[in-house]
Amino acid sequence: MPLSANNPERKSWLPVSENSDFPIQNIPFGVFLTRDNEITIGTRIGETAIDLGALQRLGYFEGIPLTDDMFMQDTLNDFISDGKKTWRLVRNRIAEIFDEKNPKLQNHQQHRDIILFDLKEVEMQMPVLVGDYTDFYSSKEHASNVGKIFRDPKNALFPNWLRMPVGYHGRSSTIIPSGISINRPQGQILPNGADLPVFGRSRQVDFELEMAFVTTDANALGEPIPVDEAEDYIFGLVIFNDWSARDIQRWEYQPLGPFLGKNFASSISPWIVTLDALAPFKAHSVKQDPEPLPYLRQTAGKHTFDIHLEVDLQPSGKQPQTISKTNFKNLYWTMAQQLAHHTSNGCKINSGDMLASGTISGNTPDSFGSLLELSRGGKKPIQMADGTTRKFIEDYDTVIMRGYAQNDKIRVGFGELTTQLLPIFKSKK
Ligand code: MN
């Protein structure tokens, strides 16, 4: 089916500023509360939120096979379950409805009043009910940097790392959308030089700049997904901040891996940008040496996306400061390889599952995706414009992540993922 929604020449009758992440070629999917406190599935063009439930009720999706309440739900799981053909039909239709040459809704003020909202009037929610969440560890630079800081510089990468996309099962209950503040976690920590652990506030709260992909129902229990088919089961991507408490992580992680140092919170950008919308930005992935085993070998072609990523740190009451710039295409393992590996043993993947990339670091010091790396494990604090320094995140700091893909015709992006760190939780009793 043609991706007519991707036509770079198309213009919308809705206003879109020049550097917007959300031109009519994006058409991401999300869930929001309207000003009347109704929850709905929606999309956005520029700074306008579009109620897809209302569009459907008013007949604008006629001819597309959708259940009657497809968009009047509080998650995208059922829509994602419908599969790629339906996603394409819906994105193509939305592009037609908002095309400047189409007068139908454009000239229907009564319908516009029901369907359109100023983005400032809506409150973004979790776009999917995340059944299962997996975090990979697929940046060679990040895995090497962390191996050097936590273990032995000479053996920074474990021998399995170059052979498979290493990952672990995380926790879905604490995945939250942009705008929700989190509390500094407490936990068991072994202070430097001490023989015995203590329980207390983490002093090494960190972000991890990642992206995550959202899957559709992909397979039956026991059925592996071939690597060259895997992208068909990926709905889209979000920016993902895998909050990490390094002092808790360092003490707890062996032998079974990350646990309480990770699962207190993970934040996502609220709009899922489809793989279809990102198609113009396909890019070659990192050359893999040694060659992977046959089940992870992809036919020649472009298997990743050129997506610029940035992290800002904003001290309380001060200006945000960009502290890292990197790119999604720096990852060593591709999403298709991650999904093929994940299901190679027959593990079942469901609609709404979230699979995160692992921290995305580049190969220069200003492109590292965590403070652990940027501050060399706390040895080289980074200088802030307000005169303070940071080894890790301070109370009331805000972390802002951004991502966008751009060519000479269009820009498709994710908007901002903004989260403030509050002090440790205090009971109101
Ligand atoms: Mn991570």
Side-chain angles (χ1 to χ4, degrees), residues 135 208 210 242 262 359:
D135 194 24
E208 288 192 337
E210 308 195 13
D242 181 21
K262 295 281 189 175
T359 307

PDB file of all heavy atoms in Angstrom, residues 135 208 210 242 262 359, ligand 1:
ATOM      1  N   ASP A 135      14.648  -3.927  28.170  1.00  0.00           N
ATOM      2  CA  ASP A 135      15.679  -2.939  27.868  1.00  0.00           C
ATOM      3  C   ASP A 135      16.908  -3.646  27.317  1.00  0.00           C
ATOM      4  O   ASP A 135      17.422  -4.571  27.938  1.00  0.00           O
ATOM      5  CB  ASP A 135      16.051  -2.145  29.125  1.00  0.00           C
ATOM      6  CG  ASP A 135      16.850  -0.887  28.798  1.00  0.00           C
ATOM      7  OD1 ASP A 135      16.740  -0.389  27.666  1.00  0.00           O
ATOM      8  OD2 ASP A 135      17.577  -0.401  29.681  1.00  0.00           O
ATOM      9  N   GLU A 208      19.240   7.934  31.294  1.00  0.00           N
ATOM     10  CA  GLU A 208      19.804   7.211  30.159  1.00  0.00           C
ATOM     11  C   GLU A 208      18.996   7.618  28.934  1.00  0.00           C
ATOM     12  O   GLU A 208      17.773   7.420  28.887  1.00  0.00           O
ATOM     13  CB  GLU A 208      19.732   5.689  30.363  1.00  0.00           C
ATOM     14  CG  GLU A 208      20.724   5.204  31.416  1.00  0.00           C
ATOM     15  CD  GLU A 208      20.891   3.683  31.453  1.00  0.00           C
ATOM     16  OE1 GLU A 208      19.966   2.962  30.998  1.00  0.00           O
ATOM     17  OE2 GLU A 208      21.942   3.223  31.933  1.00  0.00           O
ATOM     18  N   GLU A 210      17.581   6.969  25.617  1.00  0.00           N
ATOM     19  CA  GLU A 210      17.301   5.782  24.810  1.00  0.00           C
ATOM     20  C   GLU A 210      16.119   6.098  23.889  1.00  0.00           C
ATOM     21  O   GLU A 210      15.441   7.111  24.044  1.00  0.00           O
ATOM     22  CB  GLU A 210      16.912   4.591  25.702  1.00  0.00           C
ATOM     23  CG  GLU A 210      17.916   4.315  26.814  1.00  0.00           C
ATOM     24  CD  GLU A 210      17.759   2.944  27.469  1.00  0.00           C
ATOM     25  OE1 GLU A 210      17.039   2.078  26.921  1.00  0.00           O
ATOM     26  OE2 GLU A 210      18.372   2.745  28.537  1.00  0.00           O
ATOM     27  N   ASP A 242      15.579   6.049  30.637  1.00  0.00           N
ATOM     28  CA  ASP A 242      15.669   4.927  31.581  1.00  0.00           C
ATOM     29  C   ASP A 242      16.409   5.404  32.832  1.00  0.00           C
ATOM     30  O   ASP A 242      17.613   5.211  32.978  1.00  0.00           O
ATOM     31  CB  ASP A 242      16.421   3.771  30.900  1.00  0.00           C
ATOM     32  CG  ASP A 242      16.532   2.557  31.803  1.00  0.00           C
ATOM     33  OD1 ASP A 242      15.726   2.439  32.739  1.00  0.00           O
ATOM     34  OD2 ASP A 242      17.437   1.739  31.554  1.00  0.00           O
ATOM     35  N   LYS A 262      16.896   0.546  38.655  1.00  0.00           N
ATOM     36  CA  LYS A 262      16.307   0.923  37.366  1.00  0.00           C
ATOM     37  C   LYS A 262      14.789   1.074  37.409  1.00  0.00           C
ATOM     38  O   LYS A 262      14.229   1.879  36.664  1.00  0.00           O
ATOM     39  CB  LYS A 262      16.620  -0.175  36.326  1.00  0.00           C
ATOM     40  CG  LYS A 262      18.083  -0.320  36.019  1.00  0.00           C
ATOM     41  CD  LYS A 262      18.515   0.762  35.065  1.00  0.00           C
ATOM     42  CE  LYS A 262      19.928   0.498  34.573  1.00  0.00           C
ATOM     43  NZ  LYS A 262      20.317   1.459  33.555  1.00  0.00           N
ATOM     44  N   THR A 359      21.089   2.732  26.374  1.00  0.00           N
ATOM     45  CA  THR A 359      21.628   4.083  26.289  1.00  0.00           C
ATOM     46  C   THR A 359      22.372   4.283  24.973  1.00  0.00           C
ATOM     47  O   THR A 359      23.161   3.435  24.572  1.00  0.00           O
ATOM     48  CB  THR A 359      22.599   4.319  27.459  1.00  0.00           C
ATOM     49  OG1 THR A 359      21.923   4.006  28.660  1.00  0.00           O
ATOM     50  CG2 THR A 359      23.076   5.755  27.490  1.00  0.00           C
TER      51      THR A 359
HETATM   52 MN    MN B   1      18.914   1.355  30.046  1.00  0.00          MN
END
